Amino acid sequence: MFYFLVVIAVLLLGYAAVLVSFVRRGRKIPPAAYLGLALLNGLILAAVLAWAVAR
């Protein structure tokens, strides 16, 4: 479970880095990007809660 959390956290950081690069180039962030961020954040939150309950 710990490795799953690490993988999801790395994916979230990579996705956020892509969005930051969009902003730095002056491009607008697509609306679907916010949904992707919310999905990854929700997945991390659910995994952390499941991990904490299982301990």
Side-chain angles (χ1 to χ4, degrees):
M1 183 61 132
F2 177 72
Y3 295 115
F4 175 73
L5 291 175
V6 170
V7 168
I8 297 299
V10 168
L11 284 175
L12 182 63
L13 286 173
Y15 192 59
V18 169
L19 293 179
V20 167
S21 72
F22 271 17
V23 171
R24 285 190 177 177
R25 282 189 250 149
R27 299 174 67 187
K28 286 191 171 186
I29 297 175
Y34 294 108
L35 181 62
L37 279 177
L39 181 70
L40 283 174
N41 281 324
L43 191 59
I44 287 176
L45 181 62
V48 166
L49 288 174
W51 182 63
V53 167
R55 290 190 93 199

